[in-house]
Amino acid sequence: MTINDNQAIYFVDIDNHRVIQWKFSDETYRVVAGNDGCGRRNMELSYPTDVLLDKRNNCIIIADRENHRIMRWSLQDRTNTGQVLIDHINCQRLATDKHGTIYISDPENNQINRWNPTERILTVVAGGNGRGNNLNQLNTPSFIFVDENESLYISDMNNHRVMKWLKNATEGVIVAGGNQNGNRIDQLSCPQGLITDPFGRVYIADNNHRIVRWKPGDTKGEIIVGGNRNGNDSNELHYPSGLCFDSKGNLYVADRNNHRTQKFLVDSD
């Protein structure tokens, strides 16, 4: 999911093959992409997995996973027809930097690709050295995030760690987890969504039904949401996935198996 400056949230509704928008002032959602069944026509999506907001062009960018393509959908044009940006590509999750460059996780090839919309060139920027746990390797990378310095953060899911790759680096560094699969505070289990704050701290949706925060240089994280077992109470999560911040610093969590999104005020200390 992603959120705009007016606190309208855009969600990928995977099994319904669509993207929806939800405003706090509304009592229901609006379909902004897809919703014409599962297929490959330009008004259709097939199991989309991620969405980005392109504020400059007033559109959304969608990882149309099972169609192996990246789509762009205008938020002004109500014809509900998308445009293919990149075709014939493995695409799981998306991220963008301050220049509008798009980053795409490719778990099948254990790499992250970067696509420059001006030059229309696709480049491998992380991984691509086979499946493994060396610092220049990834194992089923999933969610990704790019900070203001164009450093790339990767949920290296089956290595149970989060990697940080500096711009133009040939290998990454472990910034969270990397101590095998587990639920100790120094461990992660198949990390999902991630995001950083202005202090460089990494927030991670952990399959231990919790959101953990790791400060730069720390060898263990801290639980900031959940961690009370899986459940549907207000202090519980059930396999959280996507994360995002709004302009006021509130943290939004896609609480996947509870089919809901929760909003949390996070302590900044």
Side-chain angles (χ1 to χ4, degrees):
M1 62 181 175
T2 187
I3 188 167
N4 68 14
D5 294 336
N6 297 319
Q7 292 189 303
I9 309 177
Y10 296 85
F11 301 93
V12 172
D13 189 7
I14 297 175
D15 288 342
N16 286 318
H17 315 291
R18 64 188 183 180
V19 177
I20 61 175
Q21 178 201 71
W22 197 298
K23 295 181 179 179
F24 285 97
S25 58
D26 296 343
E27 295 182 355
T28 187
Y29 59 81
R30 177 170 72 91
V31 177
V32 293
N35 204 40
D36 198 45
C38 176
R40 188 168 167 79
R41 293 179 300 168
N42 281 6
M43 71 282 290
E44 296 172 324
L45 299 168
S46 180
Y47 296 100
T49 49
D50 210 350
V51 59
L52 296 175
L53 182 63
D54 182 350
K55 297 178 182 178
R56 302 179 197 179
N57 300 303
N58 196 23
C59 65
I60 51 176
I61 310 296
I62 304 166
D64 190 13
R65 184 186 64 191
E66 292 303 304
N67 282 324
H68 300 282
R69 64 187 183 181
I70 307 295
M71 301 288 289
R72 177 165 60 197
W73 227 283
S74 172
L75 294 175
Q76 293 176 312
D77 183 2
R78 298 302 179 89
T79 61
N80 205 26
T81 300
Q83 172 192 4
V84 179
L85 282 184
I86 314 171
D87 210 350
H88 309 296
I89 184 173
N90 293 320
C91 52
Q92 181 74 12
R93 305 294 178 182
L94 303 175
T96 187
D97 63 23
K98 58 188 176 184
H99 306 294
T101 302
I102 299 173
Y103 297 74
I104 306 142
S105 67
D106 177 354
E108 286 84 0
N109 292 305
N110 299 291
Q111 66 190 36
I112 309 299
N113 298 308
R114 181 174 63 201
W115 188 75
N116 186 309
T118 302
E119 300 174 356
R120 304 183 73 83
I121 295 175
L122 195 67
T123 307
V124 178
V125 293
N129 297 301
R131 177 175 297 174
N133 62 3
N134 293 326
L135 294 180
N136 68 341
Q137 294 179 306
L138 300 168
N139 187 350
T140 320
S142 182
F143 285 85
I144 50 180
F145 179 77
V146 182
D147 68 13
E148 283 295 311
N149 298 316
E150 297 178 57
S151 294
L152 174 64
Y153 294 79
I154 306 164
S155 282
D156 191 11
M157 193 169 64
N158 285 346
N159 280 325
H160 311 290
R161 67 187 184 183
V162 171
M163 302 292 291
K164 178 181 179 181
W165 288 61
L166 299 176
K167 185 178 180 181
N168 300 323
T170 58
E171 63 180 31
V173 295
I174 300 171
V175 295
N179 298 304
Q180 300 183 336
N181 182 17
N183 61 7
R184 297 195 316 256
I185 199 61
D186 67 336
Q187 293 177 310
L188 297 171
S189 177
C190 297
Q192 303 292 311
L194 75 168
I195 195 169
T196 67
D197 65 15
F199 305 100
R201 298 174 297 192
V202 187
Y203 297 73
I204 306 157
D206 182 10
N207 264 4
N208 288 308
H209 315 293
R210 64 191 185 186
I211 308 302
V212 293
R213 179 171 65 188
W214 288 62
K215 298 176 183 177
D218 277 4
T219 58
K220 61 182 180 180
E222 57 181 329
I223 299 172
I224 60 167
V225 175
N228 302 304
R229 69 179 176 84
N230 66 305
N232 59 11
D233 288 341
S234 60
N235 65 340
E236 295 174 328
L237 300 169
H238 194 182
Y239 291 114
S241 54
L243 301 176
C244 66
F245 283 114
D246 65 15
S247 58
K248 298 179 180 178
N250 297 305
L251 179 67
Y252 293 75
V253 179
D255 192 7
R256 185 177 63 208
N257 280 21
N258 281 323
H259 307 285
R260 67 184 183 185
T261 294
Q262 295 212 74
K263 173 183 173 183
F264 298 95
L265 178 62
V266 177
D267 183 3
S268 61
D269 294 337

